[in-house]
Amino acid sequence: MKRISQRDIAHQLGINVSTVSRALRGLDGVSPKLKKRIEQLAEEAGYRPNPFAVSLRYDTTRTIGIIVPDVAFNHYAQIVKRIEAEARNAGYMSIITDTDDSYENEVNCVDMLVNMHVEGIIICPSQNTTDFSHLQHLRQLHIPVVLFDRVPNIDISSVMINDVASARYATNCLLDSGAKRIAFLGGLNQVKQTADRKHGYLEALREHEIPIRTELVKCHHISFNSGLSDTIELLRLPEPPDGILATHGLLAIAAHQAVTSQGLRIPENVSIIAYMSDWVSEMSNPRISFIKQNLREIGIKAFRLLLEQINGDDSVQHIIVKANLELRDSTKTI
């Protein structure tokens, strides 16, 4: 059975819809007797106001959109969970969409959310996105938007971690623990996050006056299979790496499997540090040392930035959330 509407109540009582609306909203202009009849019928029929109809009438939906590459991936799930909690506490509903790391899906998700009249959008772009005109168009439409995680060099507010500094620190840790040939496993070079982490990695090598070997740098589409094949290729070099910095959890797990499949030991033969979640590290054997990102803070700050824009602040802000290195079993004791 379809839900009863104000129009249905008006039809049953033989009155105007506007009269029903005024009565249910507690406005003047309706006699106490009629108001009571309207309220009684509404209660008996299980009437509930349509929040979308109300919000569109007053041009405020109290709804935000969240776009992520893969909502099933723990990294994004934790950030989305915090954004949604913050939004709910502020009286907003969240519409969560998943692009499957596809640029075309990302554009469609943005269009869908705009058509649904969301009041703002928080998005992590796909690794295939190189044209950001769909996001810049949101600014032209005066729709608040905040980027997180993969943040391009565009004039839109964002929240990200200290990618350059954390990668430099992790690489220095590998070098200080005895590694001399450190490989870099990253995503596509076009992604600023990959570029920044690679920059930090290269800075650390230069600081130690270690020659940069291009064959030790692998930057491809992030997937388990690419991480596995890249690591096996690295291990078959005449001078294979004795350390690996992986910029994504999938690449780290793939590298871990590749190293052990070649009969090598971690960290005795190859040390590994990765950007990944702590629970994934705990499940690996040996446990992988990881750069811990404060996903809770990223989610909180992303929503608060968006809320400031919704409330009228049109300034562009770029917030850096500090990440910390957590040493586990995949690195040698310094």
Side-chain angles (χ1 to χ4, degrees):
M1 295 179 63
K2 77 169 189 175
R3 294 183 178 183
I4 190 170
S5 67
Q6 291 185 11
R7 187 176 299 279
D8 296 326
I9 295 173
H11 179 73
Q12 289 189 41
L13 295 177
I15 58 179
N16 292 327
V17 177
S18 60
T19 303
V20 175
S21 176
R22 294 183 69 83
L24 295 178
R25 290 159 58 199
L27 301 178
D28 296 332
V30 184
S31 69
K33 184 178 179 180
L34 180 56
K35 182 174 184 292
K36 184 175 181 179
R37 288 181 62 198
I38 293 171
E39 291 175 340
Q40 183 177 358
L41 179 56
E43 182 178 357
E44 290 173 354
Y47 169 76
R48 293 289 184 276
N50 184 336
F52 291 104
V54 174
S55 64
L56 290 175
R57 185 182 305 132
Y58 295 103
D59 198 26
T60 171
T61 62
R62 304 294 291 181
T63 303
I64 67 165
I66 305 172
I67 303 176
V68 293
D70 183 357
V71 74
F73 191 64
N74 180 262
H75 176 86
Y76 299 120
Q78 292 299 316
I79 295 174
V80 166
K81 182 177 181 179
R82 180 44 49 189
I83 294 172
E84 196 278 331
E86 291 293 308
R88 186 172 62 252
N89 289 338
Y92 285 81
M93 294 187 297
S94 300
I95 300 174
I96 302 164
T97 60
D98 185 321
T99 67
D100 197 27
D101 233 350
S102 159
Y103 167 73
E104 291 75 15
N105 290 345
E106 180 178 307
V107 172
N108 290 334
C109 285
V110 169
D111 286 342
M112 178 192 71
L113 292 173
V114 170
N115 291 337
M116 295 182 73
H117 291 242
V118 297
E119 293 192 42
I121 295 175
I122 299 175
I123 177 172
C124 173
S126 81
Q127 59 181 311
N128 297 313
T129 301
T130 55
D131 178 1
F132 298 97
S133 58
H134 58 300
L135 302 181
Q136 292 166 323
H137 185 56
L138 291 175
R139 295 269 293 172
Q140 296 169 6
L141 295 174
H142 304 290
I143 297 175
V145 57
V146 172
L147 300 165
F148 74 91
D149 217 20
R150 299 171 182 164
V151 178
N153 287 314
I154 57 178
D155 195 29
I156 293 178
S157 292
S158 64
V159 181
M160 59 188 295
I161 69 163
N162 51 333
D163 283 312
V164 175
S166 58
R168 181 173 61 243
Y169 186 76
T171 307
N172 276 324
C173 180
L174 288 168
L175 291 167
D176 292 340
S177 64
K180 300 183 184 302
R181 300 178 303 280
I182 300 173
F184 179 88
L185 286 181
L188 297 171
N189 281 310
Q190 67 198 29
V191 179
K192 184 176 181 296
Q193 182 186 72
T194 297
D196 285 349
R197 292 175 182 179
K198 183 165 66 173
H199 182 62
Y201 157 81
L202 295 174
E203 278 190 348
L205 296 183
R206 293 188 184 101
E207 288 170 6
H208 284 74
E209 297 183 346
I210 294 176
I212 295 170
R213 295 172 53 188
T214 56
E215 69 271 21
L216 292 181
V217 178
K218 300 290 185 181
C219 294
H220 298 118
H221 193 280
I222 293 174
S223 70
F224 178 85
N225 288 337
S226 69
L228 190 66
S229 60
D230 279 346
T231 305
I232 290 176
E233 185 176 326
L234 286 166
L235 296 174
R236 290 175 177 171
L237 290 171
E239 293 183 290
D242 54 5
I244 294 175
L245 175 62
T247 65
H248 193 279
L250 281 176
L251 300 178
I253 296 301
H256 186 287
Q257 181 170 315
V259 171
T260 55
S261 72
Q262 300 299 303
L264 300 172
R265 299 179 63 189
I266 303 171
E268 289 82 0
N269 302 117
V270 183
S271 296
I272 300 176
I273 294 180
Y275 287 79
M276 64 194 309
S277 300
D278 49 359
W279 72 271
V280 178
S281 169
E282 293 299 322
M283 291 177 63
S284 59
N285 184 23
R287 299 175 304 164
I288 298 175
S289 296
F290 63 99
I291 297 166
K292 185 174 184 178
Q293 303 171 68
N294 193 331
L295 306 183
R296 175 185 174 87
E297 188 176 356
I298 291 172
I300 290 173
K301 290 188 180 299
F303 176 74
R304 290 181 181 174
L305 264 184
L306 190 74
L307 187 59
E308 288 176 8
Q309 291 185 42
I310 292 172
N311 291 333
D313 184 356
D314 60 358
S315 64
V316 175
Q317 302 180 55
H318 300 293
I319 295 178
I320 304 296
V321 175
K322 185 179 180 181
N324 299 302
L325 178 60
E326 299 278 340
L327 294 177
R328 294 295 185 264
D329 307 323
S330 67
T331 46
K332 298 175 184 176
T333 303
I334 301 176

